[in-house]
Amino acid sequence: MDPLLYLGGLVVLFLLWIKVKGLDYVIVHQRWIFVCLFLLPLSVIFDVYYYMRAWLIFKMCSAPKQHDQRVRDIQRQVRVWRKEGGKTHMCTGRPGWLTVSLRVGKYKKTNKNIMINMMDILEVDTQRQVVRVEPLVNMGQITALLNSLGWTLPVLPELDDLTVGGLVMGTGIESSSHIYGLFQHICVAFELVLADGSLVRCTEEENSDLFHAVPWSCGTLGFLVAAEIKIVPARYWVRLQYEPIRGLENICRRFSEASEDKNNTFVEGLQYSLDEAVIMTGTMTDTAEPDKINRIGLHYKPWFFKHVERYLRENNTAVEYIPLRHYYHRHTRSIFWELQDIIPFGNHPVFRWLFGWMVPPKISLLKLTQGETIRQLYEQHHVVQDMLVPMKHIQTAIARFHQDIHVYPLWLCPFVLPLGRGMVHPKGEEAELYVDIGAYGEPRVKHFQAKASCRQLEQFVREVHGFQMLYADVYMERSEFWEMFDGTLYHRLRKELGCQDAFPEVYDKICKAARH
């Protein structure tokens, strides 16, 4: 039989099966079919288009000229809103499904949508060692350009599709954060359009209060239109050491020691059970031992978390040399370990060799096509949370995660939290070392209840003076939220800048208990 006829017959049978079973049934119970046949090819098309667009615009140096016009258009939209009486709050017009966050806020349907189409790198200034970018520039875009020029960001959050705007208005972290802090701490300037339509630039010296208040504010103080971010020289390789550790006390002690050692450029832990983990420490280098090179970003390579787990099972301490950009996006192909629930055979060698070059599907497309049934299933039987707790409480925190949700692997990422005046800063009078504990997956505790279990974790994090990342579902009441976060500067600026009638409060924008 002609191969094309055979393929056509399969397609017809598949469509008939969908018609008989219903599209909802297929998407819920056999989602991998829909993802593999439709979302993976679409994701490739999206990536190629946006990569070529970004490359052409940067090479033609047209982004700065277009940027000024885009800013004026945003100012015009804000002034029109004011002229019409400002009857509803404003928000960005970017559809909720395009964001990496799994939360789907309903406020975009009732608020005034301000269209912000700003996705270009504006300038790389190697003299000042900063890159100036628009808010929708993503991490994949930045590494593709900066690494080719011999530069990188001191803190480069993991997933390709994370945008600068999301990382500034929310937060971002990487395995270098024990030296540099969170993503907000490598930013040197923000440019915003305020509620009155004016354009302001804020730095540590200029409009300093606003500069400190913007991070974690989730777009409720103004519209971010540009950011300047520090850059540092890049090296081609990361020398990465894998160290399997057993025993919770040993894991926490070794992880704390590695995080305090500033000779380690990168520190990360993957915890596979309460008593088993692999601690990874890395440094950038220009040379590599040929027999220890591992290009983990190649499409046929095992998913990184599975590769790391092998060292634990073999109880083997080892060293590898990984290309810098491959290291930065080591969890991208498997979306940490979330993709195994969507494509159960995704790490099989045959699938990786034949189709791994299309992985991962865009998170935005997964959200767009998930439907209400899958969304509710994820909400009730799935956890995606990052809790930031002081390093001195890491052992207690991991035990609480095990008790309340029992999700593995856990992602452990250290960061230094310097003194500051914004929503997030240490409770004491000096900088403090924290750890981000990331839990992504299906809880294994009996009778798991999303709201009750997450509220227990939130209460623990408040008690140890920690913080919850706001991209995930937040179940706190308003008083509990402002117990966790310092709203002193934030609320004062909202009043001074006329934000109360222009933008929702951050709590009303992100919390499950608030009205959306």
Side-chain angles (χ1 to χ4, degrees), residues 17 21-35 341-345 370 373-374 377:
W17 181 62
K21 288 290 188 178
L23 185 59
D24 285 345
Y25 175 89
V26 174
I27 291 177
V28 171
H29 298 282
Q30 306 291 338
R31 198 178 186 203
W32 64 267
I33 298 176
F34 185 76
V35 170
D341 293 330
I342 300 171
I343 308 177
F345 48 83
Q370 67 181 356
T373 303
I374 289 182
L377 285 173

Side-chain angles (χ1 to χ4, degrees), residues 235-447:
R235 302 289 182 264
Y236 189 81
W237 302 100
V238 172
R239 181 187 184 276
L240 192 65
Q241 176 172 301
Y242 304 87
E243 185 179 354
I245 309 286
R246 286 177 168 80
L248 181 58
E249 186 176 343
N250 293 333
I251 291 168
C252 296
R253 183 182 65 252
R254 179 68 189 102
F255 185 75
S256 298
E257 291 172 354
S259 304
E260 291 169 357
D261 186 353
K262 298 301 188 286
N263 291 318
N264 294 323
T265 309
F266 306 104
V267 178
E268 175 186 25
L270 292 185
Q271 185 140 357
Y272 291 91
S273 73
L274 184 62
D275 298 306
E276 296 178 307
V278 177
I279 308 300
M280 289 161 279
T281 54
T283 54
M284 283 196 286
T285 177
D286 283 324
T287 58
E289 301 174 54
D291 60 332
K292 295 181 179 179
I293 291 174
N294 186 4
R295 302 179 187 276
I296 60 173
L298 297 177
H299 73 274
Y300 54 83
K301 291 285 187 174
W303 288 346
F304 184 69
F305 79 99
K306 288 295 187 182
H307 172 66
V308 174
E309 189 176 21
R310 181 170 61 86
Y311 292 107
L312 179 66
R313 299 295 167 237
E314 297 174 357
N315 199 30
N316 180 29
T317 297
V319 169
E320 289 184 333
Y321 291 84
I322 300 170
L324 179 62
R325 191 162 189 258
H326 289 209
Y327 175 79
Y328 279 141
H329 300 294
R330 62 199 178 280
H331 294 297
T332 294
R333 284 192 299 130
S334 56
I335 318 178
F336 281 87
W337 29 93
E338 291 276 64
L339 195 57
Q340 66 183 347
D341 293 330
I342 300 171
I343 308 177
F345 48 83
N347 194 46
H348 191 281
V350 174
F351 181 86
R352 293 200 312 264
W353 272 100
L354 294 178
F355 305 108
W357 56 277
M358 293 193 289
V359 168
K362 307 289 280 186
I363 295 176
S364 55
L365 294 179
L366 288 171
K367 286 176 62 178
L368 179 64
T369 58
Q370 67 181 356
E372 185 62 21
T373 303
I374 289 182
R375 191 192 68 78
Q376 290 183 5
L377 285 173
Y378 261 75
E379 186 174 297
Q380 296 302 320
H381 304 287
H382 201 86
V383 167
V384 179
Q385 291 284 353
D386 282 86
M387 300 291 188
L388 316 180
V389 299
M391 185 68 76
K392 60 190 176 186
H393 296 296
I394 181 175
Q395 186 168 337
T396 308
I398 291 173
R400 285 298 299 265
F401 270 72
H402 180 84
Q403 171 188 317
D404 291 344
I405 59 175
H406 200 283
V407 170
Y408 291 101
L410 291 175
W411 189 53
L412 305 179
C413 186
F415 69 99
V416 62
L417 186 60
L419 293 177
R421 292 177 280 133
M423 287 175 59
V424 172
H425 55 76
K427 299 297 182 182
E429 299 300 321
E430 58 184 21
E432 187 172 357
L433 192 62
Y434 275 63
V435 58
D436 172 11
I437 303 177
Y440 325 117
E442 185 176 346
R444 299 173 189 170
V445 293
K446 294 181 179 179
H447 310 299

Side-chain angles (χ1 to χ4, degrees), residues 210-225:
L210 184 58
F211 178 73
H212 284 274
V214 164
W216 294 77
S217 65
C218 297
T220 60
L221 292 173
F223 294 112
L224 184 71
V225 294

Side-chain angles (χ1 to χ4, degrees), residues 80-89 501:
V80 168
W81 168 83
R82 288 176 60 84
K83 186 177 180 181
E84 292 175 347
K87 298 175 183 178
T88 62
H89 288 142
D501 295 327

Side-chain angles (χ1 to χ4, degrees), residues 464-477:
V464 298
H465 304 303
F467 308 95
Q468 180 179 14
M469 282 198 185
L470 302 183
Y471 77 89
D473 285 335
V474 178
Y475 292 90
M476 289 180 283
E477 299 294 333

